[in-house]
Amino acid sequence: CKILRCNSEYVAATLHLRGPERGAAFCTALRSYSLCTRRTARTCRGDLAFHSAVHGIEDLMIQNNCSKEGPTAPPRPRPPAPNPHGFESLDICDYERSFLYKHGRPPGFQHCAAFGDPHIRTFHDDFHTCRVEGSWPLLDNDYLFVQATSSPVAKGSNATVTSKLTIIFKNMKECIDQKVYQAELDNLPAAFQDGSVNGGARPGGSSLAIWERSPGRHVEIRADYIGTTIAVRQAGRQLSFSIRAAEEVARAFTEEQDLQLCVGGCPHSQRMSRSPRGRGRVPAETARALCREMLPVEDVYFQSCVFDVVTSGDTNFTMAAHGALEDARLFLPDAEKLHIFQ
């Protein structure tokens, strides 16, 4: 409810009005005040200050013979907040800006990814290959819930791939309505489930936005109000997920929210070795040659690529590992942590 802002704009507009010329300007200010209250009526229905202001405006318009129709003044610009860092104002729906204002330094960031088999790179740079069939939470904190649904990569295989992703951006009073994004194989929409492409009608609605980077293959969601960017991709018959999240956001969970693959990695019972045993669908040397074309550094992304191609026989898994590495290159705050060697 923004009634206090309406009140302060009215006071600022009428404070200097004196003498016989006061009438027309005073009526303009009252009409502006009335317009401001109408714009906030839906969120202020139960607010006593709002109802008091509405009745007060009606009384003042009658007392001053003001017509309801007529010019309205644009709201006076709010004075800049005293700010040692030179920002004009503090926007609570711009996480990086407000963090810098409060702490005098930019926030720290963490990166997590799930791709291929699935392979999980955690916020703490641990790396696991998981069998995790069914639905598992990648994230479950005060701001975000992300669930990945996996199914077998091939008939009779222990290996699984992500076939569905559900991402819930939880309601944040000043900034966004709750928004749900859902991707499935061959259906990577460039909009949230309700058809919108941003955070809704709230003042900070534009601080959550979705872009289609490559139709049907790569979608990016920017949540500036929590300093977070998410990439969702499809390569072949699997989905991948990458996130760059502010440290404060990544840590905003309770002990009850203990199962998060981005935080703790795969449970021990669900971890797999990346050394394929038995006969694969593609010879290991062929897989290595294919993966080396996309991933010249033999790190865990390369090892994961080889594992996935051998296990599935699908050469599109080279693109999955390459996409995950490119996301890491963009999202990781520390370039030295890009490659993990195990």
Side-chain angles (χ1 to χ4, degrees), residues 115-230:
F115 67 96
D117 181 68
H119 311 284
I120 306 290
R121 179 177 184 145
T122 74
F123 284 137
H124 311 294
D125 303 314
D126 295 321
F127 200 93
H128 302 147
T129 295
C130 317
R131 57 170 56 90
V132 292
E133 191 170 348
S135 296
W136 293 73
L138 293 170
L139 282 169
D140 182 10
N141 61 40
D142 294 348
Y143 304 98
L144 283 167
F145 178 78
V146 181
Q147 180 171 274
T149 301
S150 298
S151 50
V153 64
K155 195 172 180 181
S157 172
N158 275 337
T160 59
V161 289
T162 300
S163 53
K164 182 178 178 181
L165 278 165
T166 302
I167 305 169
I168 300 174
F169 297 87
K170 297 181 182 178
N171 176 11
M172 193 166 170
K173 187 177 177 183
E174 287 291 334
C175 300
I176 67 146
D177 301 321
Q178 177 170 294
K179 293 288 175 178
V180 179
Y181 178 78
Q182 197 159 78
E184 297 185 61
L185 286 176
D186 302 323
N187 182 18
L188 211 67
F192 297 107
Q193 260 194 331
D194 61 4
S196 65
V197 293
N198 59 34
R202 299 191 187 188
S206 61
S207 64
L208 175 64
I210 186 166
W211 283 279
E212 191 172 50
R213 295 299 185 199
S214 176
R217 289 170 46 187
H218 182 193
V219 165
E220 185 176 286
I221 306 171
R222 289 187 63 96
D224 292 338
Y225 68 101
I226 50 173
T228 294
T229 304
I230 291 172

Side-chain angles (χ1 to χ4, degrees), residues 32 164 281:
S32 299
K164 182 178 178 181
R281 293 167 186 263

